[in-house]
Amino acid sequence: MASGPVLQPADDTGDVGPGDGTPIAPSCPTAPHGISPTRARLTVAVLCYINLLNYMDRFTVASVLPDVEEFFGIGDGSSGLLQTVFISSYMVLAPVFGYLGDRHNRKRLLCLGIALWSAVTLASSFVPRERFWVLLVGRALVGVGEASYSTIAPTLIADLFAGAARSRALGGFYLAVPLGSGLGYIAGAKVKDVAADWRWALRVTPALGALALTLLTTVVTDPPRGGLERPPDAPLPRTSWATDLRVLATNRSLVLSTLGFTAVAFVTGGLALWAPAFLYRSRLAGGRGEPCPRGRGCDGDESLLFGVLTCVSGVLGVGAGAELSRRLRPRCPHADPLLCGGGVLGAAPCLLLALLCAAPCPPAAYVFIFLGETLLSLNWAIVADILLYVVAPTRRSTAEALQIVVSHLLGDAGSPYLIGVVSDALREAAPPTYQAGARALERALLLCPFAGALGGGAFLATALTLPRDRLRAQREAAGLSPDDLPDDDAGDDIMVPQCGRPTKVPVTHVLA
């Protein structure tokens, strides 16, 4: 076995061994060299706020979708394109920002992205009704701006915190996903009602984006890459982009967890755009309301309720996922992918029951939507943490970018449009009634629980490869050969740097 320092486990949840309570080394500071813990916490707080705006901006359009359809005179297929073109540009530009994020100043790239998406969102609110294609172009440009943020921001957190502190910071960061999505629905529905114009809903996040840009330039710091995972004087090994891609493509844990997260993206993307519209149509089909001639207020209750459910279920799901991961990981090295798989597999039947109950029993549908979204939200912080501790620091932005590309290309880039096209096809073959419209969208949305079942299987497969890939990433970051792994012998010891001091630790402690 090769000698030399091996990194402190990036996912270590404390200073004890796996399940036996044995201390392995003194605690390390959670901030990298040259950055105070207070500055690190402020940086993460600002990043969380910007991520909240990120997801608010994505789903404000979904909250006023019936009004957008009426204003531009489009059908379900065309309105589904709004989300598809956004996600498509978002995923195409993600590898570019991943490459830049691993090699250039990350703070400047973040400033550029936030300024772009805020300006384009504001401009999109002034598109005339005969220029729907201009709105599509605007949503594509918003995707360019947000690609820079989602690719780079998690890597800043990885370089600011380690161990349990990193897990908590990522939990707060990804808490903004459901919380921001829900606030997007709520803000969009309420601003539209107050202003009597859906376009005002698109003018909320640009104003908040100006504040985010100010905070980013004055508070956020760009920490040294891998500053917590190597001694201060150790060189950071770098490789070419082609080598990075080859290594990442052979990282089984990264590939499998990305496929699992792709299923989550497919489900959440489809629900985000179509759930309020489906609930609205189900209400009409059940004779519990009539559409208003101008379209105003007809979908407000559904968007508002769905937004509230998304916020509450997201807070519970992300918080529970991060806490369960922190508690179970020291005892079970496979805990993270098992939690993700269990969450997705549990969400699938809940979403199926929600679709079946929407017309005959709306309260039951909302209950099952809440349970399904809570279980789906278990994944957000855990999947991000898995990526960060199975990938070396110099490849994390690229890995984030590749995960974005795959999960969106096969997930929420196509699911809104696919569901809309299937719904249109089924509705054309049926009489033009409220019941037919609701039934067509219900059948199209059955794709979501099916995709969830596939994703659960991918996460369960990740559990088989995770411990070894984690150790490979730790050795590579320390400048050692990732292929020269120790034997699975509980008696073997390896050197682990703790606060810059090498400490002997059994291999089983590192793998746990």
Side-chain angles (χ1 to χ4, degrees):
M1 179 178 69
S3 61
V6 176
L7 294 183
Q8 176 187 356
D11 61 324
D12 185 17
T13 58
D15 301 323
V16 296
D20 58 6
T22 305
I24 62 174
S27 298
C28 288
T30 58
H33 311 292
I35 299 177
S36 68
T38 301
R39 185 66 178 272
R41 287 191 291 268
L42 287 174
T43 295
V44 171
V46 173
L47 294 178
C48 291
Y49 167 70
I50 300 174
N51 206 33
L52 187 75
L53 297 184
N54 184 351
Y55 281 88
M56 280 186 65
D57 181 82
R58 294 188 192 192
F59 295 106
T60 300
V61 172
S63 71
V64 294
L65 192 59
D67 299 87
V68 174
E69 289 184 342
E70 182 187 2
F71 182 83
F72 290 102
I74 58 176
D76 288 350
S78 296
S79 57
L81 278 175
L82 287 170
Q83 189 75 349
T84 297
V85 298
F86 164 77
I87 295 297
S88 296
S89 66
Y90 174 68
M91 69 179 184
V92 168
L93 270 295
V96 176
F97 286 106
Y99 175 84
L100 297 174
D102 281 333
R103 291 160 176 81
H104 298 283
N105 187 286
R106 292 176 286 187
K107 180 176 176 178
R108 294 176 183 173
L109 293 171
L110 293 179
C111 290
L112 175 63
I114 294 169
L116 178 61
W117 104 51
S118 298
V120 173
T121 299
L122 179 61
S124 298
S125 67
F126 297 99
V127 175
R129 65 177 67 243
E130 66 274 8
R131 296 287 187 270
F132 175 68
W133 65 270
V134 177
L135 182 62
L136 289 177
V137 173
R139 295 307 294 173
L141 292 176
V142 170
V144 175
E146 294 193 13
S148 67
Y149 187 78
S150 297
T151 302
I152 296 172
T155 67
L156 292 178
I157 296 176
D159 290 331
L160 287 170
F161 294 96
R166 177 189 290 175
S167 297
R168 286 191 292 267
L170 288 172
F173 183 79
Y174 285 100
L175 186 64
V177 174
L179 190 59
S181 302
L183 289 176
Y185 286 109
I186 295 170
K190 286 303 180 183
V191 170
K192 180 205 70 172
D193 288 341
V194 171
D197 189 342
W198 66 269
R199 290 173 293 187
W200 278 96
L202 299 183
R203 298 166 187 169
V204 176
T205 52
L208 298 174
L211 174 60
L213 190 60
T214 302
L215 292 173
L216 183 62
T217 55
T218 57
V219 175
V220 172
T221 185
D222 190 355
R225 292 175 178 83
L228 291 174
E229 298 167 86
R230 57 189 173 90
D233 56 346
L236 189 63
R238 291 187 178 276
T239 53
S240 67
W241 196 52
T243 300
D244 291 346
L245 294 178
R246 178 181 58 79
V247 173
L248 293 174
T250 58
N251 188 320
R252 295 181 181 179
S253 297
L254 176 64
V255 171
L256 290 171
S257 63
T258 297
L259 292 177
F261 188 64
T262 299
V264 176
F266 185 99
V267 175
T268 55
L271 291 178
L273 190 70
W274 290 115
F278 169 67
L279 294 169
Y280 166 58
R281 294 182 188 181
S282 297
R283 174 162 62 90
L284 298 182
R288 293 181 298 274
E290 292 292 335
C292 17
R294 298 174 57 196
R296 182 185 173 191
C298 294
D299 64 309
D301 291 342
E302 283 74 22
S303 291
L304 180 61
L305 288 173
F306 186 75
V308 171
L309 287 179
T310 300
C311 285
V312 177
S313 63
V315 170
L316 292 177
V318 173
E323 183 63 18
L324 287 171
S325 173
R326 187 185 70 83
R327 291 178 178 272
L328 296 178
R329 197 186 298 161
R331 300 177 177 86
C332 175
H334 314 284
D336 285 348
L338 292 178
L339 284 171
C340 291
V344 181
L345 291 175
C350 291
L351 296 177
L352 177 61
L353 291 172
L355 295 175
L356 298 177
C357 294
C361 186
Y366 282 106
V367 170
F368 286 120
I369 288 175
F370 174 79
L371 293 175
E373 288 199 312
T374 300
L375 291 170
L376 285 174
S377 297
L378 291 174
N379 292 270
W380 289 101
I382 300 177
V383 170
D385 214 0
I386 290 174
L387 181 148
L388 294 173
Y389 63 64
V390 299
V391 176
T394 53
R395 298 191 183 104
R396 285 173 178 163
S397 289
T398 300
E400 291 279 357
L402 293 178
Q403 189 171 83
I404 287 173
V405 170
V406 174
S407 62
H408 291 308
L409 178 64
L410 304 178
D412 54 355
S415 64
Y417 180 65
L418 177 61
I419 291 171
V421 169
V422 172
S423 175
D424 278 345
L426 294 173
R427 189 160 53 173
E428 288 176 0
T433 62
Y434 297 142
Q435 290 78 7
R439 184 65 173 168
L441 190 52
E442 173 191 307
R443 291 180 176 178
L445 284 168
L446 289 174
L447 293 169
C448 292
F450 176 74
L454 295 178
F459 279 125
L460 295 182
T462 307
L464 302 176
T465 62
L466 185 67
R468 193 169 186 85
D469 287 334
R470 179 168 50 196
L471 184 56
R472 286 170 60 89
Q474 293 162 5
R475 291 180 59 84
E476 186 175 2
L480 302 175
S481 172
D483 297 316
D484 187 15
L485 295 177
D487 297 331
D488 295 329
D489 185 354
D492 285 342
D493 289 339
I494 56 176
M495 301 300 293
V496 178
Q498 298 283 340
C499 305
R501 299 177 180 177
T503 305
K504 279 190 176 182
V505 179
V507 172
T508 54
H509 284 210
V510 175
L511 292 177

